[in-house]
């Protein structure tokens, strides 16, 4: 069996330790070791964005990052997103705008949107579309997701 | 390939492995699927690359994968049959030439003995024939006739949630399946057949799932295989696909080769259609093989057609097998029909909109196939979509601009669609059951047979109940995921859930309301006809005076001498009919219509087609939830865009060449067109509050309208999907070369 290592990091504001195989992805650690199943697997190769989390504030595909590379970093997932005002605003905007159908892409979309809005607080619709280009959604046709991110950026509900 | 299956001793010996199974280990397995033509675990003959031959249950995925590598298989390669036309040739190898065990009787408790199921002598899986009128008469009356081949490609569902199942037996031998099905009650029965079990001992729980789109209408071999493993190990067994496996081993949309011949009179009146299709079934038959039912409706009844003849042959090949997919054959049929409407119009010098309006049906019509259009908004869909999109002006402008050389060409195209909108009676029942209970605090639990697969049925059903009972949305809990609790329903298909599940929920709510108002009348002395339920209260209708709170009334009913609870049930069966043997009959309680206008920009130097704008006008009966219905339509439009332009599952020699999102291109956010969706509310008399089904409609017209738009922009008609840059570029240049040769 593969080599294991114990790592420590700040997960949604909480000091967390986990013992993980060195070849395990951050996505597998979150879901299977830590039980945080909000982050989704849909491709495992960085092509869909369903597994998006923020590492030190930057959006990454957790399926492409090794779990051990979380050592000493700050990791935010959908489970903790409403602890911050922008995250809470985004969550509410997704609900209000009807941006969720099956909901499978939603956690990744929200995390990506949070990262995007932090860097671009007043985006145009086209900029929003570019901002979520790496996140696939098979249900909504993206319109309501763009609506939600736009609404969150305006701060309206 | 033919061989001896797998040899497993080394795999079994690996520490952490709990079971290794091949077909030889499960002699009790029975065939699955509509054609009952495959066993979950294949034995000495495999027919496609996706076939399952051995299964491992182990403590971890890593151990299971290591064990798989230790299984030795010994198969001799046979030449693959991958072109459906070849499969029909005399002397072609017969893919299903062997007998399979007979399906188990429903009531079998123990594994039965293998029986004999008929072997095939050819590769034809299914045929369908339909006729109305006399096409020879129609052709004789025609002033113009067009006759073309259309080629429709492989695409696949790409639900964001991959397939998976958890199977577990309890100590009494009861089986619980956590399955991402969209038809739990039909699957309960089919699992019983495959496993030779009493259906009463099977419980299916459907957790929230990451999309369905028709893919979960079938049971796939991995599900019973997990049950075999659970049985062999005495432990719960979980299996989840990787995305690559999802691409390789889940179904596709039906690839179709279609020939359509149709005619019209000088004034634009349609005279006849003759349609012949060849469907590549793949190695096995799924529900998708019945898509010709839906295709023939479009051929016979999208616009008024007096004479029609339709024939489908679905053949076995060694390709991946096709399943059912949102629209269910209608995207393919509409692609051909709507292109020929434009061709006929062009030949006759009639405006495409006029041509369609001339042949569009009116409310009340019964088609020769027996469909009764009690409501029909087709003409309004046509005129609304045309007006909002400025179709006529843009169409004419594009024709004028064709003469002006320029790299980028714009064009518009329109297409309409007809689809069932009030269920589809293809099973013995098309109904849905509801159990409704209200507790002492006026909180409603709605137990419905209708499944939620991301389409929003939970919200709409709760909303319909709230409106009947005058309670807020948060006073309703919907339970919809457990066959041990919820009453029967035929499942999510045919755009039926809002219509059928909605009517069922309303029926249960109305019974509860009648009971509550009768009790309130007794308590208040006001006749029940003068009372209503509003904002959680019993209210006098005349002046809005709140007489008592609903919760209080319910408690007084409960804690009285008579001790009564408000609990009701309702089973709704739509007033539709089964088709007769010749496929005639009013199969749906309502029919949905739509017209979509697509505006494209074609880069004639690269062949890139950009969808600029889609304008849709949908006859949805009535809008129940605006956000929900807009979302369905926007999502459907983009799925249609993928079908038309970006998505292409490349299958070469039976092998899927692009099993990942890197090479199978889904539409991303920056590529979506501007969308303008209008609703035509025809208030269907049978629909819940007047609504009709809409789930499949929005995906159906896009490819057809895009083809017409490309033709409007460039003068070149492409009858093959998808409109990739290469295909469009080649078509434009072929046409250019032909034109200059003709000009020389
Ligand atoms: S699962 Fe990580 S990008 Fe798709
Ligand atoms: S809501 Fe289903 S994938 Fe986006």
């Amino acid at each position: 069996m593969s080599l294991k290592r114990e790592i420590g990091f700040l997960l949604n504001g909480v000091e967390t330790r986990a013992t993980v195989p060195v070849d395990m992805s951050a996505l597998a650690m979150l879901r299977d070791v830590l039980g945080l199943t909000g982050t989704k697997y849909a491709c495992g190769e960085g092509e869909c964005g369903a597994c998006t989390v923020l590492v030190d504030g930057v959006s990454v595909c957790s399926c492409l990052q090794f779990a051990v590379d979380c050592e000493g970093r700050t990791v935010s997932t959908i489970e903790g997103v409403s602890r911050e005002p922008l995250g809470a605003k985004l969550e509410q905007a997704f609900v209000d705008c009807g941006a969720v159908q099956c909901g499978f892409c939603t956690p990744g979309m929200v995390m990506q949107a949070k990262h995007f809005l932090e860097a671009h607080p007043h985006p145009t619709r086209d900029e929003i579309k570019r901002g979520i280009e790496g996140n696939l959604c098979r249900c909504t046709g993206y319109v309501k997701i763009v609506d939600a991110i736009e609404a969150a950026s305006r701060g309206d509900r | 390939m033919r061989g001896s299956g797998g040899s497993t001793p080394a795999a079994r010996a690996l520490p952490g492995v709990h079971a290794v199974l091949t077909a030889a280990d499960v002699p009790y397995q029975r065939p699955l699927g509509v054609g009952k033509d495959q066993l979950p675990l294949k034995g000495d003959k495999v027919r496609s690359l996706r076939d399952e031959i051995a299964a491992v249950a182990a403590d971890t995925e890593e151990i299971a994968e290591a064990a798989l590598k230790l299984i030795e298989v010994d198969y001799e390669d046979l030449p693959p049959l991958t072109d459906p036309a070849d499969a029909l040739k005399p002397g072609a190898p017969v893919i299903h030439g062997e007998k399979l065990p007979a399906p188990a009787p429903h009531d079998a408790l123990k594994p039965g003995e293998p029986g004999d199921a008929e072997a095939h002598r050819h590769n034809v899986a299914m045929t369908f024939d339909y006729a109305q009128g006399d096409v020879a008469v129609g052709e004789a009356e025609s002033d113009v006739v067009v006759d073309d081949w259309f080629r429709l490609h492989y695409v696949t569902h790409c639900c964001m949630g991959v397939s998976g199942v958890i199977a577990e037996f309890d100590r009494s031998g009861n089986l619980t399946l956590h399955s991402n099905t969209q038809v739990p009650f039909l699957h309960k029965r089919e699992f019983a057949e495959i496993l030779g079990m009493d259906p009463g001992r099977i419980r299916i729980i459907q957790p929230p799932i990451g999309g369905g789109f028709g893919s979960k209408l079938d049971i796939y071999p991995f599900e019973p295989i997990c049950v075999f493993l659970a049985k062999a190990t005495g432990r719960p067994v979980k299996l989840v696909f990787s995305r690559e496996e999802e691409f390789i081993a889940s179904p596709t949309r039906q690839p179709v080769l279609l020939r359509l011949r149709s005619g019209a009179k000088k004034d634009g009146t349609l005279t006849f259609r003759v349609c012949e299709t060849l469907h590549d079934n793949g190695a096995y038959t799924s529900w998708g093989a019945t898509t010709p039912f839906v295709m023939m409706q479009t051929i016979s009844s999208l616009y008024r057609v007096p004479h029609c003849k339709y024939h489908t042959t679905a053949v076995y090949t060694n390709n991946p097998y096709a399943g059912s997919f949102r629209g269910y054959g209608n995207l393919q049929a509409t692609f051909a029909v709507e292109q020929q409407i434009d061709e006929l119009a062009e030949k006759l010098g009639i405006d495409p909109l006029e041509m369609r309006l001339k042949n569009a049906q009116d409310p009340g019509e019964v088609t020769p196939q027996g469909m009764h259009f009690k409501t029909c908004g087709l003409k309004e869909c046509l005129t609304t979509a045309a007006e909002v999109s400025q179709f006529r002006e843009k169409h004419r402008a594009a024709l004028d601009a064709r003469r002006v050389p320029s790299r980028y060409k714009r064009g518009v195209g329109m297409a309409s669609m007809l689809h069932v909108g009030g269920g589809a009676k293809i099973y013995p029942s098309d109904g849905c059951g509801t159990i409704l209970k209200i507790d002492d605090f006026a909180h409603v639990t709605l137990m419905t047979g209708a499944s939620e697969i991301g389409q929003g049925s939970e919200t709409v059903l709760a909303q319909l109940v709230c409106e009947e009972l005058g309670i807020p949305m948060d006073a309703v809990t919907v339970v919809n995921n457990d066959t041990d609790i919820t009453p029967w329903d035929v499942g999510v298909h045919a755009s039926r859930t809002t219509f059928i599940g909605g009517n069922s929920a309303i029926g249960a709510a109305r019974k509860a309301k009648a009971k509550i108002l009768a009790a309130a009348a007794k308590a208040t002395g006001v006749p029940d006809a003068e009372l209503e339920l509003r904002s959680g209260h019993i209210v006098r209708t005349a002046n809005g005076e709140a007489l008592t709170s609903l919760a209080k009334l319910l408690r007084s009913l409960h804690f009285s001498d008579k001790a009564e609870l408000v609990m009701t049930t309702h089973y709704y069966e739509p007033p539709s009919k089964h088709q007769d043997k010749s496929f005639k009959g009013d199969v749906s309680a309502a029919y949905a219509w739509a017209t979509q206008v697509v505006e494209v920009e074609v880069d004639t130097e690269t062949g890139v087609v950009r969808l600029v704008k889609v304008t849709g006008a949908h006859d949805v009966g009535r809008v129940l939830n605006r956000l929900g219905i807009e979302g369905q339509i926007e999502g459907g439009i983009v799925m249609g865009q993928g079908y038309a332009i970006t998505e292409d599952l490349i299958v070469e020699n039976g092998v899927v060449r692009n099993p990942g999102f890197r090479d199978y291109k889904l539409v991303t956010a920056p590529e979506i067109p501007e969308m303008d969706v209008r609703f035509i509310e025809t208030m269907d008399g049978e629909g819940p509050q007047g609504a009709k089904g809409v789930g499949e409609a929005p995906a159906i017209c896009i490819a057809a309208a895009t083809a017409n738009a490309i033709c409007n922009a460039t003068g070149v008609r492409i009858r093959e999907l998808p409109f990739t840059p290469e295909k469009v570029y080649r078509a434009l240049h072929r046409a250019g070369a032909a034109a200059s040769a003709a000009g020389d």
Side-chain angles (χ1 to χ4, degrees):
Chain A
M1 284 296 95
S2 52
L3 202 64
K4 288 195 175 185
R5 253 191 67 188
E6 191 185 354
I7 57 167
F9 57 104
L10 199 64
L11 176 59
N12 297 327
V14 181
E15 286 293 348
T16 304
R17 302 201 72 75
T19 304
V20 293
V22 291
D23 58 356
M24 180 179 258
S25 70
L27 173 63
M29 171 180 73
L30 289 169
R31 292 183 58 85
D32 303 338
V33 179
L34 300 170
L36 296 186
T37 54
T39 306
K40 303 299 180 195
Y41 164 92
C43 76
E45 49 186 31
E47 290 291 330
C48 75
C51 64
T52 304
V53 300
L54 305 186
V55 178
D56 293 339
V58 177
S59 77
V60 301
C61 294
S62 61
C63 69
L64 291 185
Q65 173 162 328
F66 285 118
V68 290
D69 285 338
C70 293
E71 166 81 22
R73 327 244 326 236
T74 301
V75 178
S76 318
T77 70
I78 190 69
E79 285 87 353
V81 81
S82 58
R83 296 181 314 128
E84 290 166 51
L86 178 58
K89 228 196 279 178
L90 270 164
E91 270 193 349
Q92 193 57 47
F94 267 63
V95 173
D96 294 342
C97 296
V100 182
Q101 286 187 29
C102 80
F104 208 83
C105 68
T106 312
M109 285 285 185
V110 170
M111 298 315 288
Q112 180 60 26
K114 181 163 182 286
H115 167 65
F116 170 76
L117 285 184
E118 271 159 4
H120 308 87
H122 306 291
T124 64
R125 284 183 76 84
D126 280 342
E127 285 165 347
I128 294 172
K129 288 180 192 168
R130 292 305 296 263
I132 57 165
E133 187 170 19
N135 292 65
L136 298 176
C137 174
R138 190 53 153 166
C139 302
T140 65
Y142 305 102
V143 180
K144 304 257 179 282
I145 294 173
V146 176
D147 289 349
I149 299 170
E150 193 180 30
S153 78
R154 285 198 312 257
D156 53 36
R157 295 204 31 186
Chain B
M1 291 189 294
R2 190 180 294 283
S4 57
S7 161
T8 57
R12 279 181 221 264
L14 195 70
V17 169
H18 290 262
V20 180
L21 300 179
T22 65
D25 303 307
V26 282
Y28 62 89
Q29 63 172 342
R30 287 290 175 278
L32 60 88
V34 176
K36 297 277 175 249
D37 54 9
Q38 64 168 321
L39 291 168
L41 277 166
K42 281 71 177 173
D44 54 4
K45 184 170 176 186
V46 295
R47 296 174 179 81
S48 93
L49 194 80
R50 57 156 314 291
D51 278 11
E52 298 79 0
I53 50 178
V56 174
D59 284 334
T60 68
E61 262 179 68
E62 292 73 38
I63 299 173
E65 268 165 31
L68 284 179
K69 293 205 180 89
L70 295 175
I71 298 174
E72 284 173 31
V73 290
D74 182 18
Y75 283 97
E76 167 206 349
D77 277 337
L78 302 174
L81 197 51
T82 56
D83 183 332
D86 288 346
L88 281 177
K89 285 184 184 149
V94 179
I95 289 172
H96 284 277
E98 301 76 15
K99 291 177 177 184
L100 285 182
H106 299 315
D107 54 355
L109 267 171
K110 280 184 264 105
E113 290 305 308
D116 282 342
E118 225 180 303
H120 283 253
R121 282 185 300 276
H122 47 66
N123 289 317
V124 176
M126 286 196 185
T127 58
F128 294 81
D129 281 289
Y130 170 78
Q132 69 194 28
D134 180 346
V135 290
V137 172
E139 181 141 7
E141 288 170 3
S142 306
D143 295 307
V144 284
V145 171
V146 288
D147 192 334
D148 308 291
W149 288 92
F150 298 85
R151 187 181 286 274
L152 290 309
H153 63 313
Y154 278 110
V155 292
T156 185
H157 305 72
C158 296
C159 303
M160 281 297 119
V162 288
S163 303
V165 70
I166 301 173
E168 179 172 15
F169 283 96
D170 69 11
R171 282 168 192 279
S172 327
N174 298 312
L175 171 65
T176 301
L177 283 160
H178 291 260
S179 161
N180 46 18
T181 174
Q182 57 186 86
V183 288
F185 291 93
L186 297 186
H187 279 192
K188 182 174 163 131
R189 179 189 170 137
E190 198 186 337
F191 270 113
E193 286 173 11
I194 302 164
L195 302 166
M197 274 182 74
D198 171 6
R201 290 179 175 273
I202 299 176
R203 175 185 188 188
I204 298 181
I205 295 173
Q206 183 229 39
I209 69 175
F213 311 114
S215 63
K216 283 140 179 90
L217 216 59
D218 283 282
I219 290 179
Y220 297 100
F222 76 89
E223 297 164 289
I225 289 171
C226 271
V227 178
F228 304 152
L229 289 170
K231 198 169 196 157
T233 58
R235 297 170 63 160
V237 173
K238 171 177 163 186
L239 186 149
V240 178
F241 275 9
S242 68
R243 177 57 61 187
E244 188 181 358
E245 288 165 335
E246 187 80 11
F247 269 105
I248 292 170
S250 65
T252 69
R253 194 183 283 288
Q254 226 78 23
V256 175
L257 185 63
L258 186 156
R259 182 182 180 178
L260 183 64
R261 182 175 171 84
S262 48
K265 295 183 190 171
K266 270 204 196 82
D267 66 353
T269 309
L270 294 174
T271 46
F272 77 99
R273 282 185 196 141
V274 179
C275 179
E276 242 175 88
T277 77
L278 181 60
H279 287 221
D280 187 344
N281 216 37
Y284 305 105
T285 307
S286 83
W287 272 111
T290 64
T291 50
F293 279 122
V294 175
M295 297 179 74
M296 74 175 72
Q297 285 175 6
T298 290
I299 305 291
S300 81
S301 305
L302 177 58
Y303 309 109
R304 229 174 264 133
V305 188
H307 308 284
C308 166
K309 204 169 163 184
Y310 173 89
H311 174 79
T312 284
T313 310
V315 296
Y316 286 120
T317 63
N318 293 117
N319 289 326
Y321 66 102
S324 69
F325 193 169
R326 188 186 203 172
Y328 213 80
N330 208 350
L331 285 76
Q332 294 95 317
T334 301
F335 184 70
V337 166
E338 281 289 359
Q339 288 206 62
Q340 285 202 341
I341 298 275
D342 262 29
E343 287 184 72
L344 290 168
E346 198 184 328
K347 282 201 167 150
L348 292 167
I350 299 177
D351 171 84
L353 173 65
E354 285 315 317
M355 178 84 187
R356 288 174 170 86
L357 282 170
K358 171 123 202 138
N359 295 286
Q361 288 98 335
D362 289 307
E365 269 186 64
V366 180
T367 76
Q369 205 186 343
M371 289 178 264
H372 185 182
F373 301 144
K374 293 171 207 97
T375 53
C376 171
L378 177 56
K379 284 183 178 163
E380 252 184 293
C381 288
L382 281 162
T383 49
T384 305
E387 231 161 76
V388 173
S389 65
Q390 297 173 291
F391 175 80
R392 268 190 217 188
E393 299 81 329
K394 288 186 175 168
H395 194 266
R396 215 168 299 134
L399 293 179
D400 294 341
R402 270 202 218 154
R403 286 189 294 272
V404 187
S406 93
R407 172 173 173 178
Y408 295 98
K409 296 277 186 189
R410 287 233 174 175
V412 287
M414 71 164 37
S416 301
M417 73 97 222
L418 152 69
H419 205 74
V420 292
K425 199 159 279 181
I426 50 172
Y427 302 98
S429 160
D430 189 26
C432 174
T434 302
I435 302 169
L436 185 152
K437 74 180 180 79
I438 315 184
D439 72 8
D440 292 340
F441 313 99
H443 190 96
V444 169
T445 305
L446 180 76
M447 287 163 263
T448 172
S451 298
E452 170 68 50
I453 61 167
Q455 82 279 41
S457 68
E458 256 167 34
T459 306
V460 157
L461 298 182
Q463 186 189 324
L464 290 169
V465 166
C466 288
E467 284 167 16
E468 284 297 326
L469 297 179
I471 51 173
M473 281 289 274
D474 59 8
V476 180
T477 301
V478 179
V479 176
N480 56 0
N481 58 351
D482 186 339
T483 56
D484 268 9
I485 294 171
T486 57
W488 193 85
D489 175 68
V490 87
V492 182
H493 79 119
S495 306
R496 67 186 282 282
T497 300
T498 295
F499 193 98
I500 310 280
N503 273 332
S504 180
I506 288 176
R510 285 200 179 140
K511 286 180 187 167
K513 183 175 173 179
K515 191 164 179 182
I516 292 163
L517 290 183
K522 234 186 232 165
T524 61
V526 182
D528 55 0
E530 292 171 26
L531 295 173
E532 64 183 44
L533 298 174
R534 213 189 292 163
S535 317
H537 286 78
I538 317 291
V539 171
R540 200 195 287 267
T541 312
N543 57 7
E545 177 197 355
L547 300 173
T548 173
S549 91
L550 177 58
K552 205 165 159 197
L553 179 86
L554 290 162
R555 285 195 293 273
S556 73
L557 260 181
H558 184 184
F559 303 115
S560 69
D561 297 348
K562 280 211 185 139
E564 259 194 277
L565 294 179
V566 177
M567 294 183 288
T568 61
T569 66
H570 189 69
Y571 187 71
Y572 175 75
E573 181 67 42
S576 45
K577 288 186 203 69
H578 290 279
Q579 290 176 336
D580 62 19
K581 285 213 174 62
S582 61
F583 297 117
K584 291 187 179 168
D586 194 19
V587 74
S588 184
Y591 296 87
W593 301 90
T595 301
Q596 289 174 336
V597 172
V598 166
E599 187 172 349
V600 297
E601 182 186 77
V602 183
D603 180 342
T604 55
E605 278 178 26
T606 62
V608 170
V609 176
R610 191 166 69 82
L611 238 55
V612 179
K613 184 172 180 187
V614 174
T615 307
H618 284 257
D619 170 7
V620 298
R622 178 168 179 221
V623 175
L624 296 178
N625 182 308
R626 185 161 289 269
L627 277 182
I629 200 166
E630 283 176 359
Q632 277 278 24
I633 290 181
E634 289 155 1
I637 287 173
V638 172
M639 194 175 262
Q641 176 185 7
Y643 185 57
I645 298 178
T646 68
E647 294 177 41
D648 189 5
L649 191 75
I650 301 165
V651 180
E652 278 174 11
N653 250 344
V655 180
V656 176
R657 290 290 181 203
N658 54 342
F661 289 137
R662 191 169 302 132
D663 302 313
Y664 182 96
K665 179 76 178 64
L666 292 182
V667 174
T668 60
E671 297 159 313
I672 63 171
E674 184 191 343
M675 298 179 219
D676 189 344
V677 178
R678 305 297 168 106
F679 298 104
I680 310 298
E681 299 196 298
T682 48
M683 297 301 292
D684 194 88
E686 184 63 25
Q689 296 186 5
K692 308 196 236 190
V694 73
E696 295 167 281
I700 291 170
C701 307
I702 297 291
T706 303
N708 287 340
I710 293 172
C711 185
N712 178 231
T714 64
V716 176
R717 184 160 289 289
I718 309 176
R719 300 183 182 86
E720 190 174 318
L721 285 177
F723 301 129
T724 56
E726 183 183 344
K727 190 173 292 143
V728 173
Y729 179 88
R730 284 180 192 278
L732 295 182
H733 284 255
R734 251 196 321 268
S740 55
D744 283 347

